[in-house]
Amino acid sequence: MFTIEMAYARMREMQDQANRARVHLPAIEQRRAAKKHAARAKKR
């Protein structure tokens, strides 16, 4: 049985993992990724 609490806990784990992965990126790479994402969002 998969409860809402379990789903929320899993979501938090995934978010923490993503945040840790992001910390290892240099600031320049983060800016490039943000610009790429912003450009992609504008095309829609």
Side-chain angles (χ1 to χ4, degrees), residues 1-37:
M1 186 172 181
F2 199 69
T3 64
I4 296 293
E5 290 82 8
M6 292 168 66
Y8 182 73
R10 179 69 179 136
M11 182 188 69
R12 292 289 301 164
E13 289 173 8
M14 291 172 59
Q15 192 173 37
D16 290 343
Q17 186 178 13
N19 288 339
R20 280 194 302 272
R22 215 174 289 131
V23 167
H24 296 295
L25 285 177
I28 293 172
E29 290 297 320
Q30 285 182 348
R31 281 192 289 260
R32 283 184 190 154
K35 284 182 182 178
K36 185 184 288 187
H37 181 69

